[in-house]
């Protein structure tokens, strides 16, 4: 595995430090992605998924700050790179696809020119080569009449078509990894299915790795080889996908699965997890899940569990699995 590693995130912490108390958006997060692997990052809204992705790209918005951690990507620690080197990584070695409203396309530029621009910046090709490649890419991501599409503006496309253009930009420089942050959340289910299919086929026909962020466990099951579950800025479980859906280890993961009919075994009733997610600036002591946990023990209220290997290749942050 180690040799095959493309990305290692080690002990990453990212806080928002403007207010009276720091908001610990990401705390001591560690995980890795192998070449060709699809890693799914899942968790409820506000648990730190996007900040994890933005930390990797070193795009955390002010007053957010990476407080600690190493991000080893293609054998370099991204934390040590200059801004200029980092710009080569973004869009060049790592393609990014965000939920549309976030990144979106430049409304006043033709979509083809936006792809060409990336190619010229990162690959140093001529304008003419860039145009040819862009038309090819528009076809590859499934847009009809790519030669005509080239000249259209974002508002002339549907949401699904715009997401295809963003995917074309993301893969244009043959990156070794794509980070997709809720890329289908704004789309209806039919279009979502088409976009997932496109991503699946792009991954299958290359050795690109994928970091896929979603709150939707159905998508994780479909697209990921491994899954990481986040809760209040912490990674609480990391497993291969099959094992995870068969037997989730962390009580929070069990709660998430139990709230979805297809993943609930037998006649079990649908349980919502009791209580609500605490604010990140006022986290409970000990394990931050303890007030909601059906298995809470005394020590969970005062001590914080470490991430430990509970089974082969399965990691969990919970005292149920520690001596
Ligand atoms: N601009 C900001 N200023 C202050 N806190 C922020 C800001 N953006 C995000 N946060 C904090 O970071 C936490 C994690 O956010 P985020 O990574 O976007 O969550 P997710 O993507 O899992 O929904 C949020 O719960 C919020 O408390
Ligand atoms: Mg998010």
């Amino acid at each position: 595995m180690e040799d095959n590693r493309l990305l290692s995130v080690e002990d990453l912490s990212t806080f928002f430090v403007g207010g009276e108390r720091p908001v610990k958006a990401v705390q001591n997060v560690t995980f890795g992605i192998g070449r060709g692997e699809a890693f799914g990052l899942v968790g409820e809204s506000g648990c730190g998924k996007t900040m994890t992705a933005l930390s990797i790209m070193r795009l955390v918005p002010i007053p957010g700050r990476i407080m600690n951690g190493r991000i080893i990507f293609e054998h370099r620690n991204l934390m040590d790179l200059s801004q200029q080197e980092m710009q080569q990584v973004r869009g060049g070695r790592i393609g990014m696809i965000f939920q549309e409203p976030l990144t979106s396309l430049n409304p006043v530029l033709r979509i083809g020119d936006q792809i060409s621009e990336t190619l010229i910046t990162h690959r140093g090709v001529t304008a003419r080569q860039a145009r040819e490649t862009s038309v090819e890419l528009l076809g590859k991501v499934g847009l009809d009449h790519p030669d005509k599409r080239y000249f259209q503006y974002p508002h002339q496309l549907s949401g699904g078509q715009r997401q295809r253009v963003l995917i074309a930009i993301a893969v244009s420089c043959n990156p070794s990894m794509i980070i997709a942050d809720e890329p289908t959340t704004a789309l209806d289910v039919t279009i979502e299915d088409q976009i997932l299919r496109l991503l699946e086929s792009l991954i299958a026909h290359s050795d690109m790795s994928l970091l896929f962020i979603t709150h939707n466990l159905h998508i994780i099951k479909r697209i990921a080889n491994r899954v990481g579950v986040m809760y209040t800025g912490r990674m609480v479980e990391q497993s291969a996908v099959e094992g995870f859906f068969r037997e989730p280890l962390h009580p929070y993961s069990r709660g998430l699965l139990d709230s979805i009919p297809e993943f609930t075994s037998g006649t079990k009733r649908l349980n919502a997890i009791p209580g609500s997610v605490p604010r990140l600036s006022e986290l409970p002591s000990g394990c931050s899940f303890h007030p909601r946990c059906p298995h809470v023990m005394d020590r969970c209220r005062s001590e914080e569990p470490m991430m430990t290997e509970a089974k082969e290749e399965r990691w969990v942050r919970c005292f149920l699995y520690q001596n």
Side-chain angles (χ1 to χ4, degrees):
M1 177 68 193
E2 289 303 319
D3 292 341
N4 194 31
R5 275 281 167 106
L6 179 71
L7 172 76
S8 291
V9 174
E10 298 171 5
D11 208 23
L12 174 70
S13 292
T14 299
F15 297 173
F16 285 88
V17 289
E20 45 205 83
R21 284 196 200 185
V23 174
K24 301 178 176 178
V26 179
Q27 243 194 107
N28 307 103
V29 163
T30 293
F31 68 101
I33 304 183
R35 285 183 194 277
E37 184 174 64
F39 188 95
L41 196 56
V42 72
E44 290 166 285
S45 173
C47 69
K49 303 181 299 295
T50 294
M51 288 308 143
T52 300
L54 292 179
S55 300
I56 294 169
M57 306 304 300
R58 284 184 36 201
L59 289 174
V60 175
I62 292 169
R65 234 169 73 191
I66 298 176
M67 310 299 287
N68 183 63
R70 303 200 322 148
I71 295 159
I72 312 294
F73 174 74
E74 294 184 328
H75 310 294
R76 291 191 296 179
N77 184 359
L78 297 187
M79 302 298 291
D80 295 338
L81 301 193
S82 67
Q83 281 304 334
Q84 203 183 355
E85 289 169 318
M86 209 46 224
Q87 266 159 27
Q88 288 300 318
V89 172
R90 294 185 204 119
R93 305 304 307 148
I94 304 180
M96 297 176 282
I97 312 163
F98 290 106
Q99 191 177 331
E100 233 220 311
L102 236 118
T103 4
S104 62
L105 295 155
N106 188 333
V108 300
L109 288 182
R110 297 182 296 200
I111 57 166
D113 288 338
Q114 299 190 47
I115 306 176
S116 288
E117 194 181 284
T118 313
L119 289 165
I120 292 166
T121 309
H122 288 286
R123 286 222 232 156
V125 298
T126 65
R128 199 180 140 187
Q129 285 168 323
R131 178 176 296 193
E132 277 171 21
T133 308
S134 300
V135 171
E136 255 171 56
L137 281 163
L138 287 172
K140 192 171 166 187
V141 297
L143 287 175
D144 56 350
H145 308 296
D147 47 338
K148 299 204 180 71
R149 291 278 183 198
Y150 186 100
F151 299 101
Q152 290 191 322
Y153 290 88
H155 74 266
Q156 294 173 289
L157 306 179
S158 69
Q161 289 168 335
R162 280 197 291 264
Q163 198 55 291
R164 288 179 192 271
V165 174
L166 289 171
I167 292 173
I169 293 174
V171 300
S172 61
C173 300
N174 294 323
S176 54
M177 182 167 83
I178 298 264
I179 298 182
D181 187 358
E182 310 254 11
T184 60
T185 301
L187 306 174
D188 72 48
V189 287
T190 319
I191 308 299
E192 169 170 86
D193 179 63
Q194 293 171 8
I195 295 292
L196 291 176
R197 233 183 278 172
L198 170 62
L199 277 173
E200 284 166 326
S201 85
L202 289 171
I203 298 288
H205 295 105
S206 72
D207 66 348
M208 253 187 317
S209 305
L210 178 66
L211 172 56
F212 196 102
I213 294 175
T214 178
H215 60 273
N216 184 334
L217 282 164
H218 294 100
I219 299 183
I220 294 285
K221 185 164 193 185
R222 172 168 173 179
I223 210 160
N225 312 115
R226 277 198 309 133
V227 57
V229 181
M230 287 187 76
Y231 184 74
T232 62
R234 297 273 201 197
M235 186 81 88
V236 296
E237 174 163 358
Q238 233 187 94
S239 288
V241 157
E242 309 82 68
F244 177 79
F245 283 93
R246 195 175 52 239
E247 187 199 8
L249 298 178
H250 198 283
Y252 175 64
S253 311
R254 290 189 217 165
L256 281 181
L257 285 177
D258 278 350
S259 61
I260 301 173
E262 289 146 78
F263 299 141
T264 308
S265 53
T267 55
K268 212 162 23 171
R269 205 159 49 81
L270 295 190
N271 314 302
I273 304 169
S276 54
V277 179
R279 291 157 61 117
L280 291 178
S281 54
E282 292 160 15
L283 287 181
S285 59
C287 169
S288 62
F289 189 61
H290 88 253
R292 308 176 73 189
C293 183
H295 303 283
V296 61
M297 302 174 282
D298 272 347
R299 67 191 297 201
C300 307
R301 299 189 174 93
S302 55
E303 286 174 62
E304 214 177 327
M306 303 296 289
M307 199 71 157
T308 42
E309 193 165 16
K311 305 190 171 206
E312 206 186 337
E313 298 274 336
R314 301 201 58 186
W315 296 77
V316 60
R317 193 187 277 280
C318 176
F319 286 125
L320 289 176
Y321 304 90
Q322 281 175 37
N323 304 317

